[in-house]
Amino acid sequence: MTPIDELRALLRPAGGGLYLVSTGKRAQLELQQRLYGVANEAEVARAFDAALERLAGARAFILGVPSDVGAGFRRGANLGPQALREGLLDAVPELASRSRELGLVDLGDVFVVPQLLHDEMLSEAQKERSRRALYPDLPAHVRAELPVSPLSIAQRATALALSICPGAAPVVLGGDHSTAYPVVTELLRAHQAAGRRTAVVQSDAHTDLLAERLGVQHCFATWSYHVNDQLGRDGRLVQVGVRASGRDREHWEGTLGVRQLWADECRRDEGAAIARVASHLEALGVDGVYFSNDIDGTDAELASATGTPEPGGLSPELVLALIRALGERFGLVGGDVMELAPPLGADARARATTIDLSVRYLRATLTAILGAAV
């Protein structure tokens, strides 16, 4: 298969990553028709193919990963990509034409088997059963090489996309925070091969710095640990807004080489906090930043529709200013919005507030990457 053929097999049209048979199916198709500006399911498929063909000239690409298998005890982030796309369409009705103007391509969604997380956690028998379900029209020898779990599919899809368009910036719609890991991993691998010094700046209430959680290597609580290892523990992982941790900052910085600005420090002087992040990255010779935005980095009063909301968090103004500053001073080479879980807000108003704020963050990230308003 060509890289485009493989992406076509691995992914589904935007908004189609959730497996729906009856409940929710109509709303899913309506969203897809709005996204692609078409009238029926067959036209959605053709528009998806056309989007993949535009990837070679893209400046950035969107990838939805509607999985919350790697989350904690409160679930619902699998509905995050759908809410983000709906909100983006409401804010930018001309999204399709604007995306073509700016070189933004929506690659669609990883198709999620909701009981799976990463292929390394599966037996060969399970992988074969899942391959038959996911890729029924492909020859056995072809599907035997394909991943089946959301994190594994996302990693392969990102590698393929970057091979087609090496300069493109990935923008991930999560999903629990584990869904950032495969995309960041492939982006860093590509940048390291090209001699670039890319940093990861993470807005988050939590450190996500466990080597494993209950024996699981890849989940929402471990992704930063493995990314930090890939960066060489040299300070290019910067975490902003931490306030819920079993260890203090000295532990994480002293043992893992990360740089952290905890939420109380940021709240005392937002401008100074942003300046400290920038000066730290400049001293390290960073030439690009991936911004990973866990919605729980923001104060729970404004972002309660998430799996682990925490009080005492960052203001939206700080997060938006940080995105702009990183884009202007270093260039954003990718980003995401993670852990939006629409069903989990305290009430309808709280859910709407969290979704609206998440869409603002997404638009700011896209604008910083593309250098023009989205």
Side-chain angles (χ1 to χ4, degrees):
M1 288 192 292
T2 68
I4 290 293
D5 288 336
E6 189 169 344
L7 283 171
R8 188 177 292 113
L10 291 171
L11 303 177
R12 298 294 185 272
L18 295 173
Y19 178 60
L20 301 175
V21 177
S22 54
T23 303
K25 179 67 174 177
R26 180 176 177 179
Q28 183 183 66
L29 180 56
E30 289 174 351
L31 171 60
Q32 292 179 307
Q33 289 169 336
R34 285 185 66 200
L35 284 166
Y36 291 107
V38 299
N40 56 55
E41 196 164 4
E43 291 179 356
V44 167
R46 287 194 290 271
F48 170 59
D49 282 346
L52 293 180
E53 294 294 340
R54 290 196 299 272
L55 178 59
R59 297 176 59 205
F61 61 85
I62 292 173
L63 180 65
V65 192
S67 170
D68 60 8
V69 180
F73 78 102
R74 290 189 358 139
R75 302 297 176 92
N78 62 322
L79 298 178
Q82 179 177 320
L84 284 165
R85 283 199 173 98
E86 289 174 341
L88 187 59
L89 272 173
D90 290 341
V92 190
E94 70 284 4
L95 180 63
S97 61
R98 186 62 175 151
S99 294
R100 285 191 289 271
E101 291 173 8
L102 296 175
L104 174 64
V105 173
D106 195 329
L107 291 189
D109 282 4
V110 169
F111 186 67
V112 174
V113 178
Q115 288 76 31
L116 305 185
L117 182 57
H118 194 288
D119 281 10
E120 73 173 20
M121 302 168 71
L122 303 179
S123 67
E124 290 302 317
Q126 181 60 62
K127 283 189 280 191
E128 175 53 28
R129 286 193 296 270
S130 295
R131 286 178 180 127
R132 287 198 300 267
L134 290 176
Y135 314 115
D137 299 327
L138 295 179
H141 72 281
V142 174
R143 67 177 182 237
E145 302 299 321
L146 298 180
V148 297
S149 304
L151 300 190
S152 302
I153 294 173
Q155 185 163 354
R156 179 60 181 161
T158 303
L160 289 166
L162 293 175
S163 74
I164 294 167
C165 192
V171 179
V172 191
L173 311 182
D176 72 71
H177 218 148
S178 71
T179 61
Y181 168 76
V183 178
V184 177
T185 292
E186 287 303 318
L187 181 68
L188 291 178
R189 182 175 290 123
H191 284 195
Q192 287 163 348
R196 299 193 61 176
R197 287 196 45 87
T198 303
V200 177
V201 176
Q202 173 186 354
S203 173
D204 208 316
H206 313 91
T207 68
D208 299 351
L209 285 170
L210 299 180
E212 61 180 38
R213 184 176 188 265
L214 299 174
V216 174
Q217 185 176 13
H218 299 300
C219 69
F220 77 132
T222 69
W223 82 277
S224 296
Y225 177 92
H226 299 293
V227 164
N228 188 47
D229 272 359
Q230 191 174 357
L231 290 169
R233 300 189 177 187
D234 64 358
R236 283 183 291 149
L237 173 63
V238 180
Q239 299 182 317
V240 182
V242 175
R243 56 197 184 277
S245 171
R247 305 273 193 167
D248 60 19
R249 180 171 63 185
E250 288 70 26
H251 168 79
W252 299 117
E253 292 188 341
T255 61
L256 296 180
V258 301
R259 176 72 170 94
Q260 293 179 339
L261 280 77
W262 282 45
D264 57 352
E265 175 185 3
C266 296
R267 288 163 64 94
R268 282 195 298 271
D269 191 330
E270 295 184 349
I274 293 172
R276 281 194 289 274
V277 173
S279 62
H280 172 74
L281 296 177
E282 286 174 348
L284 294 175
V286 165
D287 57 16
V289 173
Y290 181 98
F291 186 73
S292 190
N293 191 352
D294 189 323
I295 194 64
D296 70 33
T298 300
D299 189 82
E301 185 176 350
L302 295 172
S304 64
T306 187
T308 49
E310 300 285 353
L314 305 178
S315 72
E317 291 73 25
L318 185 152
V319 177
L320 291 166
L322 180 59
I323 293 170
R324 287 193 297 269
L326 294 173
E328 291 168 0
R329 299 183 70 164
F330 305 98
L332 281 196
V333 296
D336 59 52
V337 178
M338 294 283 150
E339 299 282 358
L340 169 62
L344 297 184
D347 52 33
R349 181 177 180 181
R351 291 190 289 272
T353 298
T354 311
I355 292 169
D356 289 347
L357 181 56
S358 298
V359 172
R360 286 180 65 197
Y361 288 160
L362 175 59
R363 293 183 69 190
T365 300
L366 289 168
T367 297
I369 289 170
L370 296 167
V374 176

